[in-house]
Amino acid sequence: MLLLIVLLGRVHAAEVQVAVAANFSAAMQKIAQAFEQDSGHQVRLAFGSTGKFYAQIRNGAPFQLLLAADDTTPERLVAEGLGLAESRFSYATGRLVLWSKQPGLVDAQGAVLRKAGAFERIALADPKVAPYGAAAIQALGKLGLLEALTPKFVQGESIAQTYQFIATENAALGFVALSQVQVDGRIAQGSAWIVPAHLHEPIRQDALLLKAGLGNPAAAALLQYLRGDKARAIIRAHGYEL
């Protein structure tokens, strides 16, 4: 089936505009490169917060595929007639991590969160528009730390901006996606605590064919490619579950 799609794609090369959740940037860049080589289609990627993409799509942005950071936004777009219900599927499940650029600051149990004076600021993505930010709020709530730590919050517009706050040490630590700090199954730098999955709702990330993508062979082929072994291997390598 995939071979047929690839062969057809080379005969009828097309271009697809894809809105991609910021946490999935690195993985999607690699997937897009492999897809272009295998199919002959062209991929145009835009990265940002799922909440902002939702607003842009509702206002007529010409995206043809959405790779969301949650499963509720695609569900809402389907209900509003802006996406194809039968195209929707979970392409990855994200993992939340408490990360610091400083080695040794964050231990394997996240105990630093309870240490008074250990840090002045903690970064997280805006929970109103970014699912990883919402997951961070849920986790802190279950740990009984939300009220105490709220005055220290520094909020990024997206998970990408949140990562930058921590990477530039404008915040000593913060909540980001595991995919942003893991390379080949290991934390690339600094220190981290992978937040136990039971502390927040699953971060199921859904793909959706949008109304603007109907009839676009590149959009259909990329959706199918995301289900294939090559894409799934890239997704796993970047710290996601399937």
Side-chain angles (χ1 to χ4, degrees), residues 178-233:
L178 178 60
S179 60
Q180 294 174 290
V181 299
Q182 177 174 284
V183 176
D184 296 328
R186 302 181 65 180
I187 302 300
Q189 63 173 328
S191 52
W193 170 53
I194 300 175
V195 179
H198 72 268
L199 291 178
H200 59 81
E201 295 179 4
I203 308 174
R204 296 190 181 95
Q205 303 194 192
D206 279 10
L208 180 69
L209 177 66
L210 299 167
K211 189 175 180 180
L214 290 174
N216 183 334
L222 181 54
L223 274 181
Q224 183 67 26
Y225 196 84
L226 281 166
R227 295 177 180 268
D229 291 342
K230 187 176 290 188
R232 288 168 69 86

Side-chain angles (χ1 to χ4, degrees), residues 68-90:
D70 63 5
D71 56 359
T72 56
T73 299
E75 182 180 23
R76 193 178 308 150
L77 289 169
V78 167
E80 294 171 354
L82 297 173
L84 194 66
E86 54 266 37
S87 72
R88 180 183 162 208
F89 70 96
S90 294

Side-chain angles (χ1 to χ4, degrees), residues 5-203:
I5 290 172
V6 169
L7 291 175
L8 288 174
R10 292 193 181 279
V11 175
H12 305 288
E15 181 177 288
V16 56
Q17 305 278 346
V18 189
V20 183
N23 72 86
F24 201 62
S25 298
M28 191 56 200
Q29 287 170 354
K30 290 187 177 180
I31 291 171
Q33 182 180 24
F35 171 74
E36 288 182 340
Q37 292 173 348
D38 291 344
S39 71
H41 294 305
Q42 297 296 308
V43 182
R44 297 292 176 262
L45 302 173
F47 303 106
S49 74
T50 295
K52 286 196 171 184
F53 281 138
Y54 169 72
Q56 291 170 2
I57 291 165
R58 289 198 67 195
N59 288 320
F63 296 120
Q64 295 161 320
L65 287 181
L66 171 65
L67 299 185
D70 63 5
D71 56 359
T72 56
T73 299
E75 182 180 23
R76 193 178 308 150
L77 289 169
V78 167
E80 294 171 354
L82 297 173
L84 194 66
E86 54 266 37
S87 72
R88 180 183 162 208
F89 70 96
S90 294
Y91 64 89
T93 298
R95 293 302 307 272
L96 182 69
V97 64
L98 178 67
W99 176 67
S100 174
K101 190 177 180 182
Q102 302 174 33
L105 180 62
V106 180
D107 67 9
Q109 288 76 42
V112 65
L113 293 173
R114 300 184 183 277
K115 292 180 180 178
F119 56 92
E120 293 183 2
R121 289 182 285 185
I122 182 170
L124 72 162
D126 183 352
K128 295 179 180 178
V129 298
Y132 281 83
I137 293 294
Q138 291 170 6
L140 290 174
K142 286 194 175 182
L143 291 169
L145 298 172
L146 183 58
E147 184 177 353
L149 292 181
T150 296
K152 297 186 176 186
F153 284 174
V154 178
Q155 288 191 6
E157 292 184 357
S158 69
I159 201 71
Q161 186 179 57
T162 304
Y163 173 85
Q164 287 301 319
F165 286 157
I166 308 165
T168 57
E169 299 188 82
N170 285 305
L173 72 172
F175 291 97
V176 293
L178 178 60
S179 60
Q180 294 174 290
V181 299
Q182 177 174 284
V183 176
D184 296 328
R186 302 181 65 180
I187 302 300
Q189 63 173 328
S191 52
W193 170 53
I194 300 175
V195 179
H198 72 268
L199 291 178
H200 59 81
E201 295 179 4
I203 308 174

